[in-house]
Amino acid sequence: MAVLNSIVNGELSKIISIQDRGFNYGDGLFETIALVNQQPVFWNEHYQRLLKGCEVLGIDCPAEQKLKGDIEKLIHLSRNINTAVAKIMVTRGNSERGYQYNDNLVPNVIVSLSAYPSYPSSYWEEGVKVKLCETRLSSQQQLAGIKHLNRLEQVLARNEWQDEYQEGLMANAAGNIIEAVISNVFIIKDNIVQTPLIINAGVNGIMRNIVLKLCKANGIMAVEDKISLEQVLAADEVFLTNSIIGIWPVKHINSQAYILGLITKNIMQFLIEDYSVDYATFSI
Amino acid sequence: MAVLNSIVNGELSKIISIQDRGFNYGDGLFETIALVNQQPVFWNEHYQRLLKGCEVLGIDCPAEQKLKGDIEKLIHLSRNINTAVAKIMVTRGNSERGYQYNDNLVPNVIVSLSAYPSYPSSYWEEGVKVKLCETRLSSQQQLAGIKHLNRLEQVLARNEWQDEYQEGLMANAAGNIIEAVISNVFIIKDNIVQTPLIINAGVNGIMRNIVLKLCKANGIMAVEDKISLEQVLAADEVFLTNSIIGIWPVKHINSQAYILGLITKNIMQFLIEDYSVDYATFSI
């Protein structure tokens, strides 16, 4: 989606130094946040993940109020847009050539607003078609969970298809499913909700954790576990989650068909009721 | 090293769009090339690796003459500097938010010149101290070999030490040694030169391949193979290679000491004789 406006280090800008370490090495983090009624949805959860990512990489995390202030300024500049996507990027800052860095680097902070993506309402009502990607996710315990800027595997995976699918499922080298390209994945088998453990690969999704909470709060058994491709293919229901789409039921993975079952429908309803956000209303 | 001058898409510039996909995803490649007597050393090898990387990622590689022209322009702008480091970055170009890209994206091409790093001559004459890094290299067959912009593992590894070592050795999850943070590694055991296979991780170094050629041309047996940490620790000689340092003998890996043996010395001599480049002369 086209960038509406952007702020770089507190100033309206669309540029960054070629010495930025995010640019050179992917040495930084990002968050993609839904803005609904001009409010960042699940702000605290996003900020906590950014904090955690900064801690892992040893980057000074920008103050919460600074980031929120940038978002407010961008909303104002974008004709008080109601619904949009905010992307926050925090890199280690500019440095000379070389992987080494000094502790005194000043992080670069980029906040931008994009139009909310327009998906057909059928994606929520009927489900989406998912490709089983050939690109594998590599395992790297130190980087698992955080939303860092090394995203070549996602780029390769996303470009395995054009518009014939809506998402792509990614496995690790051992053949276990970890996540989808832009979302986390859940399966339901015998009334138990399961989602892959994010300990060696994958992003610890905000909506993933919201769904786990919703299950717990509503008496649905939900577990994080190792999940093989075979388990996914044998599941009763499958759905995907992220901060922009909320929950998408899956109707196909390659040639395997799934029903849009009751448990998925219930969780989708809990999300609307408990958090007052109906992502399907942003559809076209 | 401080950037002396830089050209972005043919124009003198130090900035890039925040919509650049190299910045957002590490969706691009780079080359770091020694300039000696105003000439890029092993130009053809660097350009061939860049071509290969562009092919793997599906990026249009800039024409050879364009890149060489940028380098010449930068040398001229840098008071006809004789010895320097040229860094070429090629990204997929600017795009909207999202991993998907259109085939019509125009790559961003960044060429910059930095001062040649100043290392003590003892690094070549006596060898360097190497840390065995705790950060592991993840395995990803599709990306192995090419010099892409996803370099967080190198950033983490390099920052495991300050100045007490000169390089860090990196293993994969299985404990096999793959490379060092900024260089490839060779071991010598019973007169056989060995270097790790670069098929699941690591960069296919230009100097690594030059050394393999030098061995072949001079009757030294050299093989690419899986190499365990134990094999490295039990080696008779160990050395490191890259395009800026040439060859550095290793005198220590953690507490393990190595001699600067005859085979390493011979290969260092062959490099000087066959290619007329003595990297040690750039020392301080």
Side-chain angles (χ1 to χ4, degrees), chain A residues 84-116:
Chain A
V85 174
K87 181 171 178 174
I88 296 173
M89 297 176 75
V90 177
T91 77
R92 196 182 304 277
N94 304 341
S95 81
E96 308 302 344
R97 201 178 59 75
Y99 297 123
Q100 193 175 16
Y101 57 84
N102 294 323
D103 287 339
N104 57 7
L105 292 188
V106 181
N108 286 320
V109 181
I110 299 91
V111 184
S112 59
L113 236 57
S114 304
Y116 216 91

Side-chain angles (χ1 to χ4, degrees), chain A residues 243-278:
Chain A
S243 292
I244 306 302
I245 64 173
I247 299 171
W248 276 351
V250 170
K251 64 176 177 183
H252 278 106
I253 298 177
N254 287 7
S255 61
Q256 176 69 47
Y258 299 89
I259 56 152
L260 170 39
L262 194 62
I263 298 181
T264 302
K265 277 183 192 163
N266 283 345
I267 297 171
M268 290 176 82
Q269 196 54 40
F270 296 143
L271 178 63
I272 296 171
E273 286 169 7
D274 290 17
Y275 293 101
S276 313
V277 186
D278 184 359

Side-chain angles (χ1 to χ4, degrees), chain B residues 104-220:
Chain B
N104 57 8
L105 293 188
V106 180
N108 286 321
V109 181
I110 300 91
V111 184
S112 58
L113 236 56
S114 304
Y116 216 91
S118 304
Y119 300 112
S121 57
S122 65
Y123 290 3
W124 288 269
E125 291 158 8
E126 295 162 27
V128 293
K129 284 194 241 178
V130 175
K131 181 186 195 295
L132 184 62
C133 291
E134 283 165 37
T135 305
R136 299 295 174 110
L137 283 169
S138 58
S139 294
Q140 169 49 268
Q141 223 167 7
Q142 280 178 268
L143 297 174
I146 66 173
K147 214 166 159 75
H148 57 71
L149 295 176
N150 277 197
R151 294 291 157 200
L152 260 178
E153 290 174 342
Q154 281 73 23
V155 171
L156 292 177
R158 177 58 189 88
N159 289 280
E160 289 185 27
W161 79 92
Q162 292 303 316
D163 300 319
E164 59 276 34
Y165 299 96
Q166 283 80 51
E167 246 289 44
L169 213 52
M170 299 185 75
N172 65 9
N176 292 309
I177 296 299
I178 304 294
E179 61 187 5
V181 178
I182 62 163
S183 58
N184 289 109
V185 61
F186 285 77
I187 66 170
I188 302 169
K189 182 71 180 174
D190 300 332
N191 300 320
I192 301 175
V193 174
Q194 299 172 60
T195 191
L197 278 165
I198 302 294
I199 47 173
N200 288 312
V203 174
N204 192 0
I206 302 304
M207 192 57 67
R208 173 183 182 274
N209 293 324
I210 294 293
V211 164
L212 288 172
K213 271 191 201 171
L214 283 172
C215 288
K216 201 174 171 183
N218 289 281
I220 299 169

Side-chain angles (χ1 to χ4, degrees), chain A residues 8-248:
Chain A
V8 179
N9 298 329
E11 306 286 342
L12 266 185
S13 169
K14 296 181 186 301
I15 53 168
I16 190 88
S17 165
I18 59 163
Q19 291 195 276
D20 175 79
R21 292 178 62 97
F23 179 55
N24 284 271
Y25 310 123
D27 191 5
L29 301 147
F30 72 113
E31 290 292 330
T32 307
I33 306 171
L35 293 185
V36 177
N37 298 324
Q38 306 188 345
Q39 295 301 314
V41 182
F42 299 121
W43 169 261
N44 191 47
E45 287 80 357
H46 282 287
Y47 187 72
Q48 290 303 318
R49 183 173 60 187
L50 182 63
L51 260 180
K52 166 79 180 163
C54 284
E55 192 188 307
V56 170
L57 299 187
I59 294 174
D60 279 339
C61 191
E64 196 171 346
Q65 284 315 313
K66 194 202 160 307
L67 297 175
K68 279 189 119 169
D70 284 352
I71 291 175
E72 278 162 29
K73 214 183 289 179
L74 289 170
I75 291 172
H76 180 72
L77 283 164
S78 307
R79 301 176 178 199
N80 294 314
I81 194 167
N82 247 306
T83 310
V85 174
K87 181 171 178 174
I88 296 173
M89 297 176 75
V90 177
T91 77
R92 196 182 304 277
N94 304 341
S95 81
E96 308 302 344
R97 201 178 59 75
Y99 297 123
Q100 193 175 16
Y101 57 84
N102 294 323
D103 287 339
N104 57 7
L105 292 188
V106 181
N108 286 320
V109 181
I110 299 91
V111 184
S112 59
L113 236 57
S114 304
Y116 216 91
S118 304
Y119 300 112
S121 58
S122 66
Y123 291 2
W124 288 270
E125 291 159 7
E126 296 162 26
V128 292
K129 285 194 241 179
V130 175
K131 180 185 196 296
L132 184 62
C133 291
E134 284 166 38
T135 305
R136 299 295 175 109
L137 283 169
S138 58
S139 295
Q140 170 49 266
Q141 223 167 6
Q142 278 177 270
L143 297 173
I146 66 172
K147 215 166 159 73
H148 57 70
L149 295 175
N150 278 196
R151 293 293 157 199
L152 261 177
E153 290 174 342
Q154 282 73 24
V155 171
L156 291 177
R158 178 59 190 87
N159 288 282
E160 290 185 26
W161 79 92
Q162 292 303 318
D163 299 319
E164 60 276 33
Y165 300 96
Q166 284 80 52
E167 246 290 44
L169 213 53
M170 299 185 74
N172 64 9
N176 292 309
I177 296 298
I178 304 294
E179 62 186 4
V181 178
I182 62 163
S183 58
N184 288 109
V185 60
F186 286 77
I187 67 171
I188 302 169
K189 181 71 180 175
D190 300 332
N191 300 320
I192 301 174
V193 174
Q194 298 172 62
T195 192
L197 279 165
I198 304 293
I199 46 173
N200 289 312
V203 174
N204 192 1
I206 302 304
M207 191 57 68
R208 173 184 182 273
N209 293 323
I210 295 293
V211 164
L212 288 172
K213 269 191 203 173
L214 283 172
C215 288
K216 201 174 173 185
N218 289 280
I220 299 169
M221 189 170 165
V223 293
E224 299 174 71
D225 206 349
K226 193 186 279 192
I227 299 179
S228 67
L229 172 60
E230 292 65 36
Q231 283 175 280
V232 174
L233 295 177
D236 302 324
E237 305 173 40
V238 178
F239 64 86
L240 305 172
T241 63
N242 85 18
S243 292
I244 306 302
I245 64 173
I247 299 171
W248 276 351

